[in-house]
Amino acid sequence: NAGVTQTPKFRVLKTGQSMTLLCAQDMNHEYMYWYRQDPGMGLRLIHYSVGEGTTAKGEVPDGYNVSRLKKQNFLLGLESAAPSQTSVYFCASSSPGGGYTDTQYFGPGTRLTVL
Amino acid sequence: AQSVTQPDIHITVSEGASLELRCNYSYGATPYLFWYVQSPGQGLQLLLKYFSGDTLVQGIKGFEAEFKRSQSSFNLRKPSVHWSDAAEYFCAVGPIQGAQKLVFGQGTRLTINP
């Protein structure tokens, strides 16, 4: 099992450009998440999904959109990149676990720089 | 609101010394608590988790954590650190508004002196 994979690993954008980050998991997890990590701020939830075809906003959703067309994939889009979106982005997945909060499994991250 | 505070941004210990990383949380019900470790350039890996039962939880790599409800704390400990333990450590609490969402602390960066 590859676990959670993220594409690409690194990306540099110019202000105003768009891009899509891809997250894939092979653990048949229902739930998937996108976080951003900034120095001194830990991980902040951008968007999440509780199942195929569903998405919801997290703590810092502005400037991002997501889609979950297939259970195993969760896409994060930046329509018009801004320097404030320079960050490391992590995808995670988890299973419902019978009603309790189960472990989230993380991908290796995507380092995005917006110039 | 739910929150997690890791009071120490950076800790330096000598190899072989004991370690304690602090985590305090604010949560309205019985929390589920997690410690994750992030090695440089890597994603997060689960060290241990607390759901219920025994308040002393054992994890991987020789780590343990103790849940103290009266102090709203979930401190991470290791009796003797190794150079490979140098990493950033995150405490997290959940679930938040269902969907198993977690709130993470700011992280503690651990440096090991040889």
Side-chain angles (χ1 to χ4, degrees):
Chain A
N1 286 350
V4 180
T5 58
Q6 293 182 231
T7 308
K9 288 184 170 50
F10 303 92
R11 187 72 186 267
V12 178
L13 291 179
K14 294 181 179 178
T15 297
Q17 288 185 318
S18 63
M19 79 163 293
T20 300
L21 281 65
L22 171 64
C23 176
Q25 52 95 4
D26 61 2
M27 297 174 282
N28 202 34
H29 285 166
E30 290 292 332
Y31 298 166
M32 296 187 74
Y33 313 81
W34 275 108
Y35 293 91
R36 61 177 289 170
Q37 182 181 31
D38 302 293
M41 303 191 74
L43 276 76
R44 293 181 292 169
L45 184 64
I46 304 171
H47 286 281
Y48 65 99
S49 168
V50 301
E52 183 178 321
T54 71
T55 63
K57 294 180 180 180
E59 182 185 358
V60 288
D62 294 341
Y64 304 95
N65 57 75
V66 289
S67 64
R68 183 104 181 263
L69 299 180
K70 295 182 179 180
K71 184 178 183 178
Q72 64 268 34
N73 295 337
F74 194 30
L75 278 62
L76 177 71
L78 287 71
E79 293 182 345
S80 179
S84 60
Q85 294 177 305
T86 294
S87 188
V88 182
Y89 292 86
F90 287 100
C91 177
S93 70
S94 68
S95 65
Y100 61 89
T101 296
D102 208 342
T103 303
Q104 291 188 14
Y105 294 86
F106 284 81
T110 295
R111 184 173 296 274
L112 174 66
T113 301
V114 183
L115 302 175
Chain B
Q2 302 90 346
S3 66
V4 176
T5 301
Q6 294 180 244
D8 304 305
I9 296 174
H10 184 204
I11 284 182
T12 300
V13 300
S14 298
E15 189 167 17
S18 64
L19 172 70
E20 183 170 27
L21 302 182
R22 296 183 290 165
C23 172
N24 295 101
Y25 66 88
S26 173
Y27 194 79
T30 301
Y32 297 124
L33 295 157
F34 303 79
W35 273 101
Y36 283 86
V37 60
Q38 183 183 27
S39 297
Q42 304 296 315
L44 278 69
Q45 179 185 20
L46 180 73
L47 278 177
L48 48 80
K49 58 188 178 185
Y50 170 78
F51 287 167
S52 63
D54 193 345
T55 56
L56 185 62
V57 180
Q58 301 297 321
I60 63 172
K61 303 183 181 185
F63 285 92
E64 66 178 26
E66 186 171 12
F67 170 58
K68 292 185 178 180
R69 184 187 301 273
S70 61
Q71 298 178 17
S72 298
S73 68
F74 188 56
N75 295 348
L76 182 71
R77 301 193 295 248
K78 186 170 184 177
S80 177
V81 297
H82 185 262
W83 63 266
S84 60
D85 293 325
E88 189 148 20
Y89 293 80
F90 293 93
C91 182
V93 65
I96 309 298
Q97 298 175 351
Q100 303 184 3
K101 291 192 292 180
L102 299 178
V103 170
F104 285 82
Q106 303 93 323
T108 297
R109 184 159 62 91
L110 176 64
T111 298
I112 308 294
N113 280 340

